[in-house]
Amino acid sequence: MRALLPLFLISAAAVGVEIALTRIFAVGSWSEYGYWVISIAMTGFAVSGVVMVLGRARFRDWAGWMLPALPLAMLVAGALGWVGVAANPFNPLELQNPATAGPQLWNILGYYGALFPFFFLAGLAVSLNFVVHAGQVGRVYGYDLLGAGAGAALALGLLCGLHPFWMIPALLPLLALAAGLSGRGGWRWAAVAVLIGGEAAALLLAAPKISEYKAIYAPLHVPDGQQRAEILAPGGVYQLLDNFTERLDTDVSNNAGMMGLPAPPRGYGLYRDGARIATLPMGPPESAHAPAALDAAPYALLTAPRVLVLGGEGGFRAAEALALGAAAVTVIEPEPVLRAALADGLGPSPAPPADPRVTLSDQHPLAPAEGYDLIDISGDFLAAREQNRHAYTAEAIAAWLARLPPGGMISIPVTIRELPAYALRLAATAVAALREAGVAEPGAHLAVLRSAWNLRLLIARDPIPPEAVARLADFAETRSFDLSYAPGFTAPSVWNDVPAVSLESEMVQSGGEAVDSVAQDIRALLEGTAAPSAFDRSPITADRPWLSPIVRFAALPLALARIEVLPQSEIGLLVNAAVLAQAAVLALIVMLLPLVARGALRVPARIMGRALVYFPALGLGFLMIEIVAIEQAALLLGDRTAGFSLVLTTMLVFSGAGAMLAGRVARPDRALGFAVLAVVLCCALGVAGLHAGVLAGLGLSWWARAGLVVVALAPLSFALGLPFPLGLDRFQRESPAMLPWAWSLNGAFSVLATPLATLLGHGFGLVPVLVAGMICYFLAGILWPRSPA
């Protein structure tokens, strides 16, 4: 235990720093660039395995001083790497402009140069432990996984009260402790000295900052503006700002003054990781502007409706609904900080005053909802929390339709400010939901109203009658909104110009009269005459619960050619594709290593062929299964951060326990067979009913749902932990060099797995990703060597 405890600490520090860096990218830049951190980390691990293969004998001879020296080298590399990351002038918006992209590509290489040494040294330390303790492969792998799980839990715990910019200095002592435990005497004094120097560099030389192009940057620098509150949590850094630019962000008619209605009120701006997620009131939420808002459209058709509001908008949405004639309002706010603000206030923003007509519910947004005439999704609901996207799926809409009373409807917003194509995909989802609900003519149940920036899609339980269409037309005409679609309605004019945006053509607008591309596209959708497009027009489903990115994978070359017209939400797809291409090159290099260094490996051809599939299959399969588990746990818990942390910790801990057992089994071939069978059966059960099981558990308490995640993942994770150490132990009997090479193969294909699984999930669905992970473990079972050396 003493010999492997430093490995536990090194793995904990490596994973903790990896999580910290992803949060740093989210706060200082944009979260999608956190994929680079994962790529750099796994690249470092993979390259370290290659180096260990080529110098295995020498590293083994040097192990006495390398084991304490490597964590100290990691400490120095981690501190200096953090200084380099903080000083990098990367600007992602310039990356989207071909004219300015060149310097940004060098800045990306700068991130690799700053972070690669740390993760390379971490991988070298792990692979050296495999070489030194070659007879205890299962125990070594178990300590590695358990350390990674502990590091993840520690990092997430620190994020509860520590700003991400301070995370790396907080994790460096783990490496000094690892060095002190690995060596004696002078090494312990060296560990103290290096820690002091590393902390000084990390704290004094690093000057992290928030990108000037993030939404929060300008409000932070407004004269007389100030930050009134800050909350630190694993899910984000929340900042409450007070300045004259902060107003309720709702789409109000330009005719509000002529209607005798005021502008939306001032408020406090609430930002998470630099993105604005809500306006909080300065006093009792004002609602006098509500009749002039686009969001008022469904209330023009309903009399004293009972309303279920998804997303409270800091209390403004309930006040608006009451002002528009709602008889009772139930508010569901899944975002934890916004929910706390509704219940108790936040900083100087008070909680909305108690009103017997308003109920704040703690139920899950997708839990069965009965007794409501209107299900009204607030304008900022989708942006407020990543898991809120599940409310936009065809299955969720169909379930709500089934519970609406006669005359009931659903009101769903979407922004068309940057891409009108989002409206078409939402309409396709509504059509699919209506058909799932048994509606033969979906077009008779839909209405679309919009401004130049935002759109409201109304989905009615019953066909919308002509008199209701007339009321909607009058509502739109009075406010200079556009009724883009309603049954039997032909728009006589267009108030707000929304030209089509296409990747196939460089022409965004031809000039002349105002255009309503939304109306054209929706009519083509309903008539089945929509032309092929680079944008995905398929419905949003439970298996593919993403409105964006909307660019089809096959259209990536077009997207790269016209990257300047794509909004920030679409860039994640391109980043994934870039990481995937890089990972594929790395994996190919590692796979070709035996041909370049055949003398160093000395692996028989028959065993090499099996290893070239066995270890990559495990690297791909483990992460594919993990990614699907994270997505489903996030849905069940209603929180991606909670789902990620619980799944990661559970899978690493129980996989580590399985790896510990691997070194003790008497019949490795039988143990592997049972493990592969367990993985295949668990994945098959997931394919058959995982989503249905998640939906069935939504009505339970949060702690009960969290317990379900652990109980469901524990046996699967235990089985996932067996094949890798069993394979290492068996394959190394053919050649001792198999240990670091197998570690390298697993790392290289783990780099590949994350972007590949993400792209497969967006393009084909989560079930195909789970099936792919199951097939990987099935292949590993088939390719297990039948006879040991």
Side-chain angles (χ1 to χ4, degrees), residues 464-510:
I464 302 175
E467 58 271 21
V469 173
R471 287 201 297 274
L472 286 175
D474 181 66
F475 173 90
E477 185 76 12
T478 302
R479 293 160 180 79
S480 296
F481 294 141
D482 290 287
L483 182 58
S484 293
Y485 175 82
F489 178 77
T490 302
S493 60
V494 176
W495 290 104
N496 304 282
D497 186 28
V498 178
V501 177
S502 170
L503 297 184
E504 292 87 352
S505 171
E506 295 186 3
M507 296 296 296
V508 175
Q509 184 172 7
S510 60

Side-chain angles (χ1 to χ4, degrees), residues 219 303 367-368 374 591 705:
T303 302
L374 173 63
M591 289 183 72
R705 284 178 272 150

Side-chain angles (χ1 to χ4, degrees), residues 291-375:
L294 180 67
D295 300 347
Y299 297 87
L301 304 181
L302 300 170
T303 302
R306 297 158 297 172
V307 182
L308 175 64
V309 168
L310 300 186
E313 291 187 343
F316 284 107
R317 195 71 194 123
E320 291 168 347
L322 292 174
L324 293 168
V329 181
T330 298
V331 179
I332 295 177
E333 180 52 81
E335 215 294 328
V337 172
L338 285 175
R339 178 176 171 78
L342 288 175
D344 305 310
L346 174 59
S349 176
D355 189 316
R357 298 170 295 174
V358 178
T359 302
L360 179 60
S361 172
D362 61 357
Q363 76 179 62
H364 193 285
L366 299 190
E370 302 278 358
Y372 299 105
D373 304 299
L374 173 63
I375 296 176

Side-chain angles (χ1 to χ4, degrees), residues 1-8 136 139 143 181:
M1 179 176 179
R2 178 181 175 82
L4 291 176
L5 186 57
L7 172 63
F8 176 94
Q136 302 181 62
R139 187 179 293 268
Y143 270 83
L181 291 173

Side-chain angles (χ1 to χ4, degrees), residues 516-531:
D516 188 350
S517 64
V518 172
Q520 298 168 3
D521 287 343
I522 290 178
R523 290 187 182 279
L525 169 72
L526 295 173
E527 295 166 1
T529 60

